[in-house]
Amino acid sequence: MLGNVCAEDFLPLLGKVCYFKTEHLAPVAMQIDAVTMRPETKLPSYLNSERLPFMVELSSAGAINMIDATGTLALPAEETEADKQLHSVWIGRVAPLGRDPTLAYFQLLFN
Protein backbone atom coordinates (compact mmCIF):
# COMPACT_ATOMS: atom_id res chain seq x y z
CA MET A 1 0.00 0.00 0.00
CA LEU A 2 2.71 2.53 0.93
CA GLY A 3 4.41 1.94 -2.42
CA ASN A 4 1.28 3.23 -4.18
CA VAL A 5 1.03 6.46 -2.20
CA CYS A 6 2.13 9.57 -4.07
CA ALA A 7 2.41 13.29 -3.33
CA GLU A 8 -0.83 13.95 -5.20
CA ASP A 9 -2.68 11.93 -2.53
CA PHE A 10 -1.61 14.47 0.11
CA LEU A 11 -1.96 17.75 -1.80
CA PRO A 12 -5.76 18.03 -1.35
CA LEU A 13 -5.24 17.40 2.38
CA LEU A 14 -3.05 20.44 3.06
CA GLY A 15 -4.27 22.20 6.19
CA LYS A 16 -6.46 19.26 7.21
CA VAL A 17 -6.07 17.10 10.31
CA CYS A 18 -5.14 13.42 10.26
CA TYR A 19 -4.74 11.06 13.20
CA PHE A 20 -1.60 9.10 14.01
CA LYS A 21 -2.12 5.98 16.11
CA THR A 22 0.49 3.76 17.78
CA GLU A 23 0.26 0.86 20.21
CA HIS A 24 1.67 3.00 23.02
CA LEU A 25 -0.12 6.33 22.57
CA ALA A 26 -3.65 7.59 22.23
CA PRO A 27 -4.44 8.85 18.69
CA VAL A 28 -2.67 12.14 18.03
CA ALA A 29 -4.17 14.86 15.82
CA MET A 30 -1.66 16.16 13.27
CA GLN A 31 -2.13 18.89 10.72
CA ILE A 32 -0.73 18.36 7.22
CA ASP A 33 1.37 21.48 6.68
CA ALA A 34 3.31 20.88 3.45
CA VAL A 35 4.16 18.38 0.74
CA THR A 36 7.62 18.71 -0.79
CA MET A 37 8.93 16.79 -3.79
CA ARG A 38 12.42 15.33 -3.25
CA PRO A 39 13.58 13.96 -6.66
CA GLU A 40 17.25 14.15 -5.63
CA THR A 41 16.67 11.39 -3.04
CA LYS A 42 15.45 8.78 -5.54
CA LEU A 43 17.20 5.46 -4.96
CA PRO A 44 19.08 3.99 -7.95
CA SER A 45 17.05 0.79 -7.71
CA TYR A 46 13.87 2.83 -8.31
CA LEU A 47 15.07 4.86 -11.30
CA ASN A 48 12.42 3.28 -13.54
CA SER A 49 9.64 4.03 -11.06
CA GLU A 50 7.31 6.89 -11.98
CA ARG A 51 6.76 7.99 -8.38
CA LEU A 52 9.11 10.70 -7.17
CA PRO A 53 10.22 10.73 -3.54
CA PHE A 54 8.41 13.28 -1.39
CA MET A 55 8.09 14.51 2.17
CA VAL A 56 4.96 15.35 4.13
CA GLU A 57 5.38 17.88 6.94
CA LEU A 58 3.06 17.59 9.94
CA SER A 59 2.52 19.56 13.15
CA SER A 60 0.75 18.72 16.37
CA ALA A 61 -0.09 20.35 19.67
CA GLY A 62 -0.86 16.94 21.18
CA ALA A 63 2.39 15.13 20.45
CA ILE A 64 4.82 17.19 22.48
CA ASN A 65 6.41 14.10 24.12
CA MET A 66 6.58 11.96 20.97
CA ILE A 67 9.93 11.68 19.19
CA ASP A 68 9.91 9.14 16.31
CA ALA A 69 7.21 6.51 15.95
CA THR A 70 5.76 3.84 13.70
CA GLY A 71 2.01 3.48 13.48
CA THR A 72 -1.13 4.03 11.44
CA LEU A 73 -1.96 7.37 9.85
CA ALA A 74 -5.69 7.93 9.27
CA LEU A 75 -6.07 10.50 6.52
CA PRO A 76 -9.18 12.70 6.32
CA ALA A 77 -11.68 11.75 3.64
CA GLU A 78 -14.67 13.31 1.98
CA GLU A 79 -17.99 12.81 3.74
CA THR A 80 -18.97 10.07 1.29
CA GLU A 81 -15.74 8.08 1.73
CA ALA A 82 -14.16 6.16 4.57
CA ASP A 83 -10.90 7.45 6.02
CA LYS A 84 -7.87 6.11 4.20
CA GLN A 85 -5.44 4.46 6.58
CA LEU A 86 -1.73 4.06 5.96
CA HIS A 87 -0.32 1.27 8.10
CA SER A 88 3.28 0.86 9.29
CA VAL A 89 4.33 4.43 8.55
CA TRP A 90 7.31 5.95 10.30
CA ILE A 91 7.23 9.62 11.22
CA GLY A 92 10.26 11.45 12.53
CA ARG A 93 10.34 14.46 14.80
CA VAL A 94 12.12 17.55 13.47
CA ALA A 95 13.27 20.72 15.21
CA PRO A 96 10.93 23.74 15.22
CA LEU A 97 13.64 25.93 13.60
CA GLY A 98 11.94 29.27 14.19
CA ARG A 99 8.38 27.94 14.05
CA ASP A 100 5.90 27.91 16.93
CA PRO A 101 7.76 26.20 19.81
CA THR A 102 4.49 25.06 21.40
CA LEU A 103 3.91 22.62 18.52
CA ALA A 104 5.70 19.37 17.70
CA TYR A 105 6.86 19.04 14.08
CA PHE A 106 7.23 15.79 12.15
CA GLN A 107 8.06 14.55 8.68
CA LEU A 108 6.82 11.54 6.79
CA LEU A 109 9.17 10.44 4.01
CA PHE A 110 8.24 8.44 0.91
CA ASN A 111 11.01 7.22 -1.37
Side-chain angles (χ1 to χ4, degrees):
M1 170 77 178
L2 292 178
N4 296 327
V5 176
C6 60
E8 289 76 18
D9 295 324
F10 283 93
L11 290 174
L13 305 177
L14 287 171
K16 295 188 178 178
V17 174
C18 57
Y19 290 88
F20 186 70
K21 305 170 195 169
T22 70
E23 291 181 19
H24 308 291
L25 299 171
V28 176
M30 297 187 162
Q31 180 173 307
I32 300 172
D33 295 328
V35 178
T36 306
M37 301 305 292
R38 303 288 311 264
E40 70 280 2
T41 63
K42 193 167 196 172
L43 296 173
S45 58
Y46 290 102
L47 287 178
N48 294 328
S49 171
E50 292 184 25
R51 182 179 86 170
L52 289 175
F54 65 99
M55 174 178 61
V56 178
E57 296 178 58
L58 307 154
S59 61
S60 175
I64 300 304
N65 296 325
M66 191 167 77
I67 308 293
D68 299 345
T70 300
T72 299
L73 188 65
L75 301 175
E78 298 298 322
E79 290 181 24
T80 58
E81 302 174 357
D83 286 350
K84 180 187 281 187
Q85 296 200 8
L86 303 178
H87 301 280
S88 301
V89 296
W90 177 87
I91 61 170
R93 180 99 179 235
V94 294
L97 300 176
R99 297 176 282 191
D100 185 345
T102 64
L103 297 176
Y105 295 93
F106 298 90
Q107 63 183 4
L108 172 58
L109 304 171
F110 288 91
N111 197 342

